[in-house]
Amino acid sequence: MRCVAVFVGINHASASGFDNNIQLSLTLAALSIGLWWTFDRSRSGFGLGVGIAFLATVVTQLLVYNGVYQYTSPDFLYVRSWLPCIFFAGGITMGNIGRQLAMYECKVIAEKSHQE
């Protein structure tokens, strides 16, 4: 739950007003790395976050380039600069949720097998 709360905070911070986009991007990048460091710290989690951030940003870029979607004011190469940070934090959060669900399922299966 804390990881989800931090992700919601990062998402909310991306919508708040900063003086410039570099400050916003650096703040969100630091918060996203902090989310990974606090709740995951695994190489696979970091790789998952970076991979999701890269692929999702590329897909978003393709949608913008083809006119399916557009930004009111793009920052860098027609993409909002904070977008990869949000995707990275979302990948870490979803990975942690999946890990917790898998651990719960293993615990339930182990308890059922002991009762029989």
Side-chain angles (χ1 to χ4, degrees):
M1 290 302 292
R2 290 180 297 203
C3 185
V4 172
V6 172
F7 172 70
V8 169
I10 291 171
N11 194 12
H12 180 68
S14 70
S16 63
F18 276 79
D19 291 337
N20 58 24
N21 290 324
I22 294 172
Q23 182 184 14
L24 172 65
S25 298
L26 291 176
T27 301
L28 290 179
L31 288 172
S32 297
I33 297 296
L35 175 89
W36 168 76
W37 184 257
T38 303
F39 296 107
D40 194 348
R41 291 188 192 179
S42 68
R43 288 183 184 177
S44 62
F46 188 79
L48 174 73
V50 169
I52 287 174
F54 178 75
L55 290 175
T57 303
V58 167
V59 168
T60 305
Q61 177 75 353
L62 290 173
L63 291 173
V64 169
Y65 181 74
N66 290 321
V68 176
Y69 185 73
Q70 68 181 19
Y71 296 113
T72 54
S73 58
D75 294 340
F76 180 72
L77 295 176
Y78 300 108
V79 175
R80 299 295 295 192
S81 61
W82 49 262
L83 197 59
C85 299
I86 297 297
F87 287 134
F88 178 84
I92 298 299
T93 303
M94 292 301 117
N96 281 332
I97 289 172
R99 187 177 305 117
Q100 292 296 321
L101 289 173
M103 287 181 1
Y104 175 76
E105 184 178 324
C106 290
K107 181 181 176 184
V108 169
I109 290 173
E111 287 176 358
K112 285 184 180 180
S113 67
H114 290 304
Q115 291 175 354
E116 294 175 357

